[in-house]
Amino acid sequence: MGHPTIYPTGVTVYNPDKCFSGYTILPVKEHGILLIDMHGKEIRLWKGMHGFPPKMLPGGYVLGSRGQRNGKYGFQDQMDVVQLDWDGNVVWEFDQVEFIEDPGEEPRWMARQHHDYQREGNPVGYYAPGLDPKVDSGNTMILCHRNLHNKKISDKELVDDLIVEVNWDGEIIWEWQCSDHFDELGFREASRNALSRDPNFRPIGKGMGDWMHINSMSLLGPNKWYDAGDKRFHPDNIIVDGRETNIMMIIEKATGKIVWKLGPDYDRTPEEKAIGWIIGMHHAHMIPRGLPGEGNILVYDNGGWAGYDNPNPGAPKGVKAALRDYSRVLEIDPVAMKIVWQYTPADAGFLFPMDSSRFYSPFVSGAQRLPNGNTLICEGSDGRIFEVTREHELVWEYISPYKGTALPLNMVYRAYRVPYEWVPQEPKPEETPILPLDVKTFRVPGAAAFGDRKAEIEIPGCSGFSSANALCVAAEGEFAEED
């Protein structure tokens, strides 16, 4: 599906009567962390800050990083995690995971943080009634990197995923290393062989295999499953997803063991087959208590390319072996293992399969459940953030106008909506609707108006067109079969 060269940016749709209105925080490439209101007005830019992801805390505090490690030696390593106040003053910082001495660089301690972190008091890092993250105390869970060798996985050096828990004084009080649990992940022999040959090798430094690529990490928090006696869902347990392995899993914090898992394959049970292949996913988390759908797992199923298996025409080495050219947002009951809500190209109103790729972000992205039952979706690779109702109605949409220079994309890694009261420094904005444009009649200056023709001639014997027949012909029968 092609994309237009000209399209509006900023907020394009806003229905105040159906939205959970507030501020939205997002990273803008090569600029910083940006806070906008429902009309897209830029409230504040924390210039130069990295948001991987950016998070807001009550009182106008912001979490992010002040810099990234030189890409010659590290992959997506953030130097630190810092908490800033509204005016940009540092009130908390952490960088004590590894002392780094890269050639030509100033030796220093680094957090090597990537993709996620969570402050005590809120398990998932976004607003849920009664679950406020702490701002002047508490522990922080941080997803980090560590390089190592593990011959069970490959003979190549690996960049592995490490989770650390840090107290307010910056002391590491708990940690979990992903590669220690390789045998619990359930890879088939073909997957192990492909992974051994090529653990998603990246030519960084001396070379390293980004074999798992965990891209989200959060606590479960209080939930109905644990209240009912299912100990797999202890509030302190941690849910993560591995983008390169197509795995979602829950880690028992007390033992480090994996106690719940979905993937890496989706063809072993009737439940997995009904869910379908989840590929290259991002932002898997349990919807926290106090929000509609609480206890279910929400995940952005990117599609794209991920996983290890036998070589095939799309993946000659068996790396990135699963392929799909559209995205889904899934809400999954983790006990029944079934989808209870989803947002797909069909739900967005696109015809399958012809224009299913119109909802498609093969990398980054995320989803947040809002207090009114809506879902905020970050279709990240195209810089699109939008809010939909339970019935899939689009009620708010924002397109980022910010593109990078080194990588000319307007991608947004992840975005969060917070209530107005979390930013007491600003008056509540006026909420006025922004109606959708009629793309059929909208024209740029100088272009002819819709239907502006010099003449219209009736041709005898012409019977017109059948749109249904045209669709079937265009899809070579696939549309009729899918319908």
Side-chain angles (χ1 to χ4, degrees), residues 7 17 41 93 97 108 111 114 129 155 163 173 177 185 187 197 220 316:
Y7 53 88
D17 294 335
K41 181 180 179 181
E93 59 186 308
V97 166
R108 59 159 295 166
H114 67 97
D155 60 0
I163 302 172
I173 59 175
Q177 190 76 47
L185 296 176
F187 287 113
R197 291 191 300 268
L220 301 184

Side-chain angles (χ1 to χ4, degrees), residues 70-87:
N70 189 324
K72 293 180 180 179
Y73 309 112
F75 180 63
Q76 299 182 328
D77 290 350
Q78 304 300 300
M79 291 183 176
D80 54 18
V81 180
V82 297
Q83 178 181 330
L84 306 179
D85 66 15
W86 183 250
D87 296 317

